[in-house]
Amino acid sequence: MNIQKLRKRFVAVSGIGKRQSAMGTALAVADITTRDNCTIEITNQRQRETVYDCAGQDIFDETVESQFKRATITYAIVNAQILARWLAYFLGAAAAPVTSGLKKKHALTRSTNDDLPKTGFVSGFEDDAVSEAQLYKDFIVDSLSIQLNRRKNITLTVVLIGNFTTADAVDFAVPACANLPALKGKDCKISINGVDYSADLWQLGIALNNNVPTGDDAFPFDGVNVQTLERGEKPTYQLTPQILGYRGDALFANAEAEAVQSVVVQLGADAADRVVLTTPSTKIKFAGTPTVFVGELNRTAINLDATPHKDSVLGTPIKADVYLDQTEAFLLSV
Amino acid sequence: MKIKRPSLKIKFIGGKQGEDAPLFITDGNQRIDLPADQTKPFAHEKALQILKVAPELYKAVQQKGKRRIYRSAATGEFVKSDFASANASTTVAETV
């Protein structure tokens, strides 16, 4: 039996965030050269029709009606480059980079026609003599979940949806896994309505979801494999900051008034590689429990539930400006 | 009655910190190439799409020439456009 160990599992992607030239055309394995420090779980999503006999008692047939794969990639350690890549795939539009100081600035915005760039990856096991690494194609980013905790590592979960069928990754060389210094909460900033709350930020959750439909709309009338993977009718974006403070603070009053204000989250230190996520018109509300006690000292923290609204200038609720050393544009076609 | 779409010129407005203009934009699965020289306003067949996908980098510029008479989508009245709204709007103008 060809038994494998989890620690030998790998997933490799296009590090610079290339996209497929078209649905159905997989990335070339030569473009899949980056192996992140992450784990992957791939599930088969198959809908079957069960046909019973005339008595309605025993199954005599099962047919597959639709099929796709869902991949969940989890990062315990991220850097700005990784965050930027997945944000580019998630949002779907990227301007070619321009020089900004010592870095290259990549402006990422939401694609205009709900088109999401397709990508792929290779996953398998190191040193597998049988070379069973598989090439996955037609994957789009359905959701991103970024978690930031005070003084701890930033974590990221990416959910992708793509084609059920895979192919042997012929001639694929498993890239070396890069050991990265972790991006930590202390490397990040948050400002609300122009006021910097970084020093008081206890934790922050960022949940971005394209809500990609996977029902009948995703499939052709006469096929079982996904054909159309695009942003759903109502994508959702949610920020849940927890910031030390209490009644009497401006932030508390803003939440009480449910003010619509700009929120800027910078993931990465100034002048270093960084992602600046901006939601210019965000409704600042209390979460279900407005204040909680956190830490060993049980200090008060304001629990916010911030919902980005459509911004009149941006035309969408969210954008990201990314500053990296990467000179290639994100979402380049193969 | 002839239906005419107003021609549209756009201008690079980014670069407040000395940044250059991007040479292309990827929107979903489509690549939109942009001119190398963006120091002056330029016409582009995908100008509206560029404005939508990069509203902080580009803006529509006012056209010189005659103002257009068009039927307002809101009131149904014939009104004279100002150049800015005629250029920035996706409304198809009607010449009368």
Side-chain angles (χ1 to χ4, degrees), chain A residues 94-96 98 105-109 313-314 319 321, chain B residues 10-16 19-22 24-25 34 38 42 50-51 53-60:
Chain A
V98 294
K105 178 184 173 184
H106 302 252
L108 308 179
T109 51
V313 175
L314 210 55
K319 68 157 187 167
D321 290 324
Chain B
I10 58 174
K11 183 184 175 186
F12 176 65
I13 53 164
K16 285 166 192 156
E19 296 153 5
D20 298 325
F24 64 91
I25 290 171
L34 296 159
Q38 296 178 42
F42 59 94
I50 295 166
L51 289 174
V53 77
E56 294 187 319
L57 298 181
Y58 294 93
K59 74 169 186 180

Side-chain angles (χ1 to χ4, degrees), chain A:
Chain A
M1 299 298 285
N2 182 23
I3 297 169
Q4 301 288 346
K5 288 182 177 172
L6 177 61
R7 70 185 172 86
K8 296 282 188 181
R9 185 87 188 258
F10 72 86
V11 56
V13 298
S14 165
I16 60 167
K18 280 194 170 185
R19 68 179 165 92
Q20 293 179 188
S21 59
M23 184 79 173
T25 308
L27 285 179
V29 289
D31 289 319
I32 300 176
T33 54
T34 300
R35 182 179 164 190
D36 293 336
N37 183 356
C38 61
T39 60
I40 187 166
E41 182 186 303
I42 302 168
T43 58
N44 290 341
Q45 305 289 320
R46 255 186 163 161
Q47 196 171 26
R48 298 170 194 272
E49 188 179 321
T50 309
V51 185
Y52 285 84
D53 65 358
C54 294
Q57 185 180 20
D58 297 318
I59 297 170
F60 82 91
D61 197 8
E62 275 183 275
T63 55
V64 173
E65 295 299 303
S66 65
Q67 57 183 15
F68 64 91
K69 274 187 162 59
R70 177 174 283 127
T72 304
I73 301 179
T74 307
Y75 292 83
I77 293 171
V78 288
N79 62 7
Q81 172 79 36
I82 292 170
L83 287 168
R85 179 205 310 145
W86 292 118
L87 268 168
Y89 284 134
F90 174 83
L91 289 170
V98 294
T99 302
S100 178
L102 296 172
K103 297 289 175 186
K104 294 287 179 188
K105 178 184 173 184
H106 302 252
L108 308 179
T109 51
R110 198 170 74 178
S111 53
T112 57
N113 56 1
D114 297 329
D115 237 357
L116 292 171
K118 315 293 180 295
T119 187
F121 55 88
V122 173
S123 187
F125 292 89
E126 277 180 54
D127 313 325
D128 185 358
V130 194
S131 182
E132 303 226 324
Q134 292 292 294
L135 175 62
Y136 295 77
K137 66 179 181 183
D138 300 337
F139 276 75
I140 53 85
V141 173
D142 186 35
S143 70
L144 292 180
S145 176
I146 302 167
Q147 187 65 37
L148 190 158
N149 290 300
R150 187 181 182 86
R151 298 174 53 78
K152 293 191 175 62
N153 293 348
I154 292 173
T155 62
L156 168 70
T157 304
V158 186
V159 177
L160 301 109
I161 293 171
N163 204 310
F164 186 88
T165 56
T166 62
D168 290 348
V170 179
D171 295 334
F172 179 73
V174 182
C177 184
N179 290 305
L180 306 168
L183 194 63
K184 292 177 181 295
K186 68 180 172 62
D187 301 320
C188 303
K189 287 174 151 185
I190 182 168
S191 79
I192 301 174
N193 200 27
V195 180
D196 187 353
Y197 291 101
S198 309
D200 294 319
L201 183 65
W202 192 260
Q203 65 178 36
L204 169 65
I206 303 171
L208 312 174
N209 201 324
N210 276 323
N211 292 323
V212 173
T214 54
D216 287 341
D217 288 325
F219 297 90
F221 80 101
D222 59 351
V224 297
N225 284 313
V226 281
Q227 183 182 54
T228 310
L229 288 171
E230 60 178 44
R231 187 179 298 111
E233 201 173 41
K234 290 183 174 59
T236 52
Y237 314 104
Q238 198 70 25
L239 309 176
T240 47
Q242 205 174 63
I243 297 171
L244 294 173
Y246 194 61
R247 187 180 290 279
D249 292 326
L251 189 62
F252 193 99
N254 292 340
E256 237 174 3
E258 301 205 342
V260 175
Q261 297 174 328
S262 168
V263 176
V264 180
V265 178
Q266 182 178 308
L267 303 159
D270 288 341
D273 284 2
R274 60 199 186 277
V275 172
V276 182
L277 196 67
T278 306
T279 57
S281 303
T282 312
K283 192 150 185 96
I284 310 293
K285 300 167 288 183
F286 283 126
T289 311
T291 55
V292 287
F293 297 99
V294 295
E296 291 167 307
L297 292 176
N298 281 317
R299 291 185 288 172
T300 55
I302 304 168
N303 240 352
L304 297 177
D305 187 1
T307 308
H309 288 193
K310 181 173 184 164
D311 180 63
S312 59
V313 175
L314 210 55
T316 64
I318 190 167
K319 68 157 187 167
D321 290 324
V322 173
Y323 301 83
L324 301 172
D325 291 328
Q326 180 175 318
T327 53
E328 302 91 343
F330 283 107
L331 310 182
L332 280 177
S333 178
V334 181

